[in-house]
Amino acid sequence: MKRALVVAALAFTGLLATAAPAAAHSTLEGSSPTDGATIKQQITEVSLRFNEGVDGRFSTVVVNGPGNVSYSVGELSVTDNTVSQPVHPLKSGDYKVAWRVVSADGHPVSGAFGFTAAIPGDQEPSEGPKPGKKSTESDFAAPGWLWWAAGGGAVLAILALGLVLGKKRGKVSA
């Protein structure tokens, strides 16, 4: 019985060590502005269109602009497969959009893209949003240690269950 438990625990540990995260189920199909675009007029939001509906309750879009300041304002909205994040009036410069959405099947998916704003002088805001917490796409990723902790906890649970079952059968000596 002990040998079988040890073999099962080692097999399970090996499986966890080689398992890759689940394949992404939602795919970004397009955005406005598009990745790499240069826009020459003010916009009020950044929109992302996915191949399927997403769950807005756990989704996030952060638009960082010049000075790495967040231009996101207010709550994002989800309509069918489109996620929209309102933004402050843009200043000329480079912008990075980092996003994380939850697929219809519950799997989180994340990514990032960038665009440039070349706003005419008469449309350029005199000042941008106040500096605050800066977000990066790494804020949306699950830490690697979390996978190892979950795997280690599962192995310990299997070993503890084996010991309990073995004692109930009287096969384990103290």
Side-chain angles (χ1 to χ4, degrees):
M1 178 72 166
K2 278 191 203 180
R3 184 177 299 190
L5 286 173
V6 170
V7 170
L10 289 174
F12 185 71
T13 302
L15 178 67
L16 285 176
T18 60
H25 297 277
S26 284
T27 304
L28 181 65
E29 289 187 332
S31 64
S32 177
T34 59
D35 186 22
T38 297
I39 61 169
K40 297 181 180 190
Q41 59 188 15
Q42 284 296 340
I43 60 173
T44 58
E45 66 181 19
V46 171
S47 297
L48 297 89
R49 184 176 38 82
F50 294 88
N51 66 324
E52 64 183 15
V54 297
D55 187 341
R57 294 175 297 172
F58 305 108
S59 299
T60 305
V61 176
V62 177
V63 181
N64 282 345
N68 199 27
V69 173
S70 177
Y71 276 69
S72 301
V73 62
E75 299 294 320
L76 65 81
S77 64
V78 177
T79 304
D80 299 322
N81 63 338
T82 302
V83 176
S84 300
Q85 173 62 56
V87 293
H88 287 283
L90 305 181
K91 295 182 73 109
S92 293
D94 293 328
Y95 289 80
K96 183 170 183 177
V97 179
W99 55 268
R100 179 185 185 276
V101 298
V102 177
S103 298
D105 64 3
H107 288 91
V109 184
S110 61
F113 65 92
F115 67 92
T116 301
I119 307 298
D122 62 334
Q123 294 180 25
E124 181 96 25
S126 58
E127 57 183 67
K130 303 279 186 261
K133 180 184 183 307
K134 297 173 179 107
S135 299
T136 64
E137 70 183 285
S138 64
D139 290 342
F140 305 121
W145 63 264
L146 185 60
W147 292 106
W148 287 105
V155 168
L156 290 174
I158 288 171
L159 291 174
L161 180 62
L163 288 173
V164 168
L165 291 175
K167 284 184 180 182
K168 283 185 178 180
R169 293 183 179 189
K171 294 186 177 184
V172 177
S173 59

